[in-house]
Amino acid sequence: MTLFKQATIIGLGLIGSSVARALRENGVCEIIVACDASPECLDKVAELKLADKTEADLQKAVDGSDLVILATPVGTYGDIGQAIGQALDFGATVTDVGSVKGCVLKALSGVLPEHVHLIPGHPVAGTEQSGPEAGFASLFAGRWAILTPPQDADPEAVEKLKKMWEAFGSKVEIMTPEHHDLVLAITSHIPHLIAYNIVGTAHDLEGVTDSEVIKFSAGGFRDFTRIAASDPTMWRDVFLNNKEAVLEMLGRFTEDLTALQRAIRWGDGDALFNLFSHTREVRRQIIEAGQDEEAPDFGRPHEIPPEKQAKD
Ligand SMILES: NC(=O)c1ccc[n+]([C@@H]2O[C@H](COP(=O)([O-])OP(=O)(O)OC[C@H]3O[C@@H](n4cnc5c(N)ncnc54)[C@H](O)[C@@H]3O)[C@@H](O)[C@H]2O)c1
Ligand SMILES: O=C(O)C(=O)C[C@]1(C(=O)O)C=C[C@@H](O)C=C1
């Protein structure tokens, strides 16, 4: 289904390159232009034939495109917006895939011209890997794509973008950026913070325990190390740009952790057992939802091709 004439993707890492593959595989646009700050990345994109054209210059890259997708760390948006603003085609749609949404309008609405449709987006799908080789076309299939259009957004432009994500196999939900950032703070951002912290603490203990923390790391810790291997630049920008929601959710998390600490100290087995039973039920519900085609499937595992999976 051809929805756009020419799509420019800025940032051809894991997500941008997956978008390029999905655009092509599903015939969503006629021409794909790839733009990235890294010459090595653009060389790889050309070698993998992920785009019809590679272009290092931001203004040249967006010229003639009716769709521009930002797929760089969210902290880069302001500078990119400044650079492309005057070069955008009349009536073009500008969207993004960033993990934080409140910051997008703040960074871009002042620097983009009035004639473009700015519709922020976020595919809730990813892996811990980075770069154009890590991407794959089916990354978004069966996953949510969240759009956070401004209140005065053009309904036709929103609908077209919704159709693009649906063509990739995603289910689309529309919400406010504030709601997005609060929900994702607890379901995605804090889990990453916890993983970074526990792996960091364990690494610090290495000296004390004579390397045994890593040597005897059990399944649970290994799962944390996968998440803690995620891209440092991307996640630095997530936390700096979703500060309020993350700090609010972290406050609640810390209170609950203190309650657990107290239960352990005072031997309150019932409190521990009740919480662990409840969380087991949450997991069961998530798995069930993932298997039910009609239900939300946040818990459904990715169909990650074997060659793109984390190596243990
Ligand atoms: N990794 C995930 O699981 C995931 C999931 C959903 C959304 N996201 C979001 O997608 C975006 C990209 O993440 P990723 O995982 O693909 O990262 P990545 O590190 O794999 O790729 C980012 C690419 O952007 C390029 N880049 C950086 N600054 C640039 C600039 N100023 N101009 C042009 N190119 C620039 C880099 O060279 C790199 O090729 C982020 O905003 C992230 O929050 C990531
Ligand atoms: O599966 C993973 O490795 C991810 O971290 C993906 C994940 C997530 O937290 O679920 C990470 C960041 C995103 O913005 C969306 C998805």
Side-chain angles (χ1 to χ4, degrees), residues 25-107:
E25 199 167 291
N26 297 290
V28 172
C29 64
E30 289 166 21
I31 303 165
I32 299 172
V33 181
C35 178
D36 200 286
S38 151
E40 295 78 27
C41 174
L42 285 185
D43 286 348
K44 189 47 86 180
V45 168
E47 186 191 319
L48 296 171
K49 299 189 173 53
L50 297 180
D52 300 289
K53 189 179 158 197
T54 58
E55 174 57 68
D57 183 273
L58 281 164
Q59 295 190 354
K60 287 185 192 155
V62 299
D63 184 33
S65 288
D66 50 348
L67 176 66
V68 174
I69 305 171
L70 269 60
T72 54
V74 293
T76 63
Y77 286 10
D79 287 347
I80 292 176
Q82 285 278 1
I84 62 175
Q86 297 314 311
L88 289 163
D89 265 28
F90 191 88
T93 291
V94 177
T95 188
D96 78 307
V97 295
S99 307
V100 186
K101 296 275 60 83
C103 63
V104 183
L105 291 183
K106 282 188 204 126

Side-chain angles (χ1 to χ4, degrees), residues 10-16 36-38 41 71-74 76-77 80 97-99 122-123 125-127 129-131 231 234 238:
I10 303 175
L12 271 288
L14 168 75
I15 303 297
D36 200 286
S38 151
C41 174
T72 54
V74 293
T76 63
Y77 286 10
I80 292 176
V97 295
S99 307
H122 176 208
T127 74
Q129 302 191 27
S130 308
D231 189 71
M234 167 191 157
V238 166

